[in-house]
C-alpha cells in the first residue's frame, strides 16, 4: 500500500512518520510517500492532504496542475484524508474568508467549513474529543483550526466540539479539523488506512 502525503506546503513529515507508524501497528506492508506531481498522484492508493495554509495549498495545487487528478482519483474512490487546512480543501462550501481569499475547494465532501473557527483566545488549544469512531477519547491538537458548520447528504459528523463538527466522513473521505499527526496517537491514521 502506497499512501501519498501531498507535499506542496504544510505539515508533511509528521504525517509521513505517523502513517508509517500506523502501518507498522497494523502489521501491514507499505509506506508513506511524498507527492507533488501528477504522475505521483496516479501511482498512490490513498492521499493525505496536510495542514498548513489552505489558500496557499490551493494555489500550489493549481500551479503544479494537480487539481484535476486529485478530484478524479477521489471520485473514482481513492481514499483521501484532509487535516486542518486539508480539511478546508475537502469541503464543497466555505465561509466568507474562503470566498474573499479565492481559495478553491476540492468539493469532494458535502460540508461547509469556516476557517479559523475557534479564532481569538482559542487560536491554538488541545481538547479531549469523543468520536463516533473510538471508545476512548482522542486528544485533538487544534492550530488555527477550521470547523464544519454544516454536513449534508452522505457526509456524517464523526466528532464535535462545542457547537462545531470537527471530524466528518463521507464514503472513503475523512475531514479532520485538528492535527491527528501531532498527538502521538495513530488511531485516526489507522482508521484511514482501513478505508
Ligand atoms: N487556518 C488555516 C487555514 O485556514 C489552517 C491552519 C492549519 O492547517 N493548522 O488554512
Amino acid at each position: 500500500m502506497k499512501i501519498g502525503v501531498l507535499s506542496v506546503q504544510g505539515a508533511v513529515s509528521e504525517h509521513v512518520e505517523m502513517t508509517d507508524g500506523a502501518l507498522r501497528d497494523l502489521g501491514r506492508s507499505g509506506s508513506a510517500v511524498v507527492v507533488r506531481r501528477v504522475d505521483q498522484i496516479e501511482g498512490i492508493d490513498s492521499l493525505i492532504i496536510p495542514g498548513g495554509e489552505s489558500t496557499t495549498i490551493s494555489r500550489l495545487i493549481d500551479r503544479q496542475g494537480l487539481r484535476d487528478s486529485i478530484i478524479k482519483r477521489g471520485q473514482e474512490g481513492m481514499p483521501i484524508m484532509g487535516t486542518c487546512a486539508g480539511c478546508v480543501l475537502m469541503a464543497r462550501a466555505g465561509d466568507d474568508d474562503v470566498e474573499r481569499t479565492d481559495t478553491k475547494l476540492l468539493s469532494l465532501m458535502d460540508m461547509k467549513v469556516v476557517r479559523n473557527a475557534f479564532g481569538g483566545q482559542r487560536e491554538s488549544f488541545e481538547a479531549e474529543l469523543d468520536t463516533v469512531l473510538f471508545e476512548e477519547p482522542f486528544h485533538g491538537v487544534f492550530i488555527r483550526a477550521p470547523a464544519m458548520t454544516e454536513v449534508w447528504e452522505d457526509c456524517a459528523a464523526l466528532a464535535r466540539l462545542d457547537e462545531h463538527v470537527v471530524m466528518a466522513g463521507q464514503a472513503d473521505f475523512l475531514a479532520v479539523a485538528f492535527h491527528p499527526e501531532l498527538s502521538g496517537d495513530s488511531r485516526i491514521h489507522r482508521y484511514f488506512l482501513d478505508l
Side-chain angles (χ1 to χ4, degrees):
M1 190 157 42
K2 212 165 159 185
I3 302 96
V5 180
L6 184 68
S7 171
V8 292
Q9 191 251 349
V12 176
S13 60
E14 293 86 351
H15 270 297
V16 170
E17 278 167 38
M18 186 58 91
T19 303
D20 283 337
L23 282 164
R24 275 196 305 277
D25 294 345
L26 289 169
R28 294 169 77 152
S29 59
S31 63
V33 291
V34 297
V35 292
R36 52 171 77 87
R37 295 194 317 266
V38 171
D39 61 301
Q40 294 170 321
I41 303 277
E42 298 304 323
I44 52 177
D45 301 303
S46 59
L47 177 68
I48 296 173
I49 305 176
E53 220 282 314
S54 51
T55 306
T56 307
I57 296 176
S58 160
R59 295 211 173 115
L60 293 170
I61 282 176
D62 284 329
R63 190 175 303 166
Q64 303 284 93
L66 303 175
R67 182 171 302 272
D68 290 350
S69 56
I70 294 174
I71 293 173
K72 177 172 141 287
R73 294 241 31 221
Q75 286 170 343
E76 287 166 358
M78 177 175 74
I80 305 178
M81 169 164 76
T83 66
C84 208
C87 167
V88 173
L89 295 178
M90 292 300 282
R92 192 171 295 288
D95 63 351
D96 294 345
D97 201 37
V98 170
E99 302 284 318
R100 186 183 55 76
T101 54
D102 197 23
T103 303
K104 297 207 170 49
L105 307 179
L106 295 168
S107 300
L108 288 168
M109 295 178 70
D110 294 319
M111 58 187 202
K112 180 173 181 179
V113 287
V114 258
R115 294 175 73 179
N116 307 312
F118 302 93
Q121 287 289 333
R122 296 187 75 196
E123 271 213 326
S124 299
F125 61 96
E126 304 187 9
E128 297 303 319
L129 302 169
D130 288 321
T131 73
V132 174
L133 304 179
F134 317 119
E135 262 168 46
E136 299 294 317
F138 193 93
H139 186 81
V141 177
F142 291 78
I143 304 172
R144 295 186 303 108
M148 283 60 98
T149 48
E150 286 170 58
V151 295
W152 62 92
E153 299 277 338
D154 297 329
C155 187
L158 301 178
R160 292 174 196 271
L161 184 64
D162 305 336
E163 74 276 25
H164 302 293
V165 173
V166 293
M167 177 157 59
Q170 179 169 355
D172 290 344
F173 301 141
L174 199 57
V176 185
F178 46 95
H179 283 265
E181 76 284 11
L182 295 181
S183 56
D185 179 342
S186 69
R187 280 179 295 166
I188 290 179
H189 285 74
R190 278 184 273 155
Y191 173 78
F192 177 63
L193 293 176
D194 277 334
L195 294 176

